Amino acid sequence: MSRSVRVVWDDKLISYDFGPGHPLAPIRVELTMALARDLGVLDKVEMVGCAPATDDELALVHRRDYIEAVKRVSATGLPDLSCGLGTVDNPAFAGVHEASALITGASIEACRAVWTGAAEHALNIAGGLHHAMPGAASGFCVYNDPAAGIAWMLEQGARRVAYVDVDVHHGDGVQAIFYDDPRVLTISLHESPRTLFPGTGFPSETGVDGTAVNVALPAGCGDAGWLRAFHAVVPPLLREFQPDVLFSQQGCDGHALDPLAHFMLSLDCQRQAYAALHALAHETAGGRWVATGGGGYELVQVVPRAWSHLIAEAAGEPVDPQTVTPESWREYVALRTGEVPPLHMTDGRRPDYHDFSAGYDPADPVDRAIMATRKAVFPLHGLDPMP
């Protein structure tokens, strides 16, 4: 399916580090790249470097006074609560601007590769910092690299960009930045804001012309319900919108082992989502697909396997889920973390779901969530909300 795939990488990307004990530990990205390398996945892609985003690039989505405030914190390491740095979620640290700008630069580089045709697909595993607002850090995110990448493509002449966010948390920053821009369709599938940060992402948040789409699923949602919701909402909207580029945020914190949320997804469900988005990029966006990482706080058991599968799927050579993790990687994990690493590239699940077109069950909380979203936005796209 894929003609060419780039993975944007620089070892300095792991310098985005809020310190010991913070859930967004950079070792999750380090272990991902090590696993993808040892599996031979990185041999199937072109590895390219990146430069930090410039102030002008950051200013596509962030206020300049905010950028200057982050730079001051970066120079001193001292908190500035007026810009959201120095909180429990977003501790201040020396070098925060440089680390955050490099992640944003990596996502812009991925977008540049896809937009110019240098690659059909491009990934920034270290990216996906979707909570950052125009003038404040939020939810572990300082600069909003997905929004910056999308804004860069719009500046280059993109007419329509679709953003699909499968992180368990609502993609509130990206939605806020493009809420009034009909050129950007934002779709977020997340745990209900009634039970999880950031408390936004209700179906009633529809943006202009229904271009903000929110699927707020109940806590405890498992593979079958999540896949049912995804397929009931995402494919019909992408087919109708026909984006120039598909941009996906691939947070894997919906996994049952993730400590910060309440979904019960398996690695095997997440792998199916990657395959579905890959196919939709080819069907609806001419194959142009940019993907980033995102949330994911089970650092050893989940994140490295999930995003290694993502890279392999983008490369068009998926890893057999029964594959044994390389012994070299397991030894590295034990050395770096002291934890017992997973033995296989699967959770042993074979997720299946009943398609929503077969009928709506008003007693099912997942179906109620699906219907709330479809009723809120489908008519605005000329689509029938009923199954």
Side-chain angles (χ1 to χ4, degrees), residues 178-256:
F178 298 113
Y179 199 70
D180 297 319
D181 191 337
R183 298 174 297 173
V184 182
L185 174 69
T186 63
I187 306 176
S188 178
L189 294 92
H190 48 266
E191 184 178 329
S192 170
R194 293 187 173 89
T195 55
L196 191 67
F197 175 91
T200 57
F202 290 97
S204 57
E205 300 166 30
T206 58
V208 61
D209 299 332
T211 53
V213 180
N214 290 289
V215 188
L217 294 164
C221 183
D223 289 353
W226 193 95
L227 288 168
R228 180 172 169 88
F230 177 95
H231 287 284
V233 173
V234 178
L237 287 170
L238 290 183
R239 288 168 183 148
E240 180 63 28
F241 192 68
Q242 288 291 304
D244 295 330
V245 181
L246 174 62
F247 191 121
S248 64
Q249 197 267 22
Q250 305 285 175
C252 58
D253 43 4
H255 193 278

Side-chain angles (χ1 to χ4, degrees), residues 116-128:
T116 62
E120 192 171 34
H121 310 328
L123 302 94
N124 172 22
I125 294 301

Side-chain angles (χ1 to χ4, degrees), residues 58 62 66-67 70-71 97 100-101 104 129 132 141-145:
L58 294 171
H62 291 291
Y66 172 63
I67 298 167
V70 175
K71 286 182 176 181
H97 167 76
S100 304
T104 304
L129 303 178
C141 307
V142 178
Y143 293 141
N144 198 313
D145 63 284

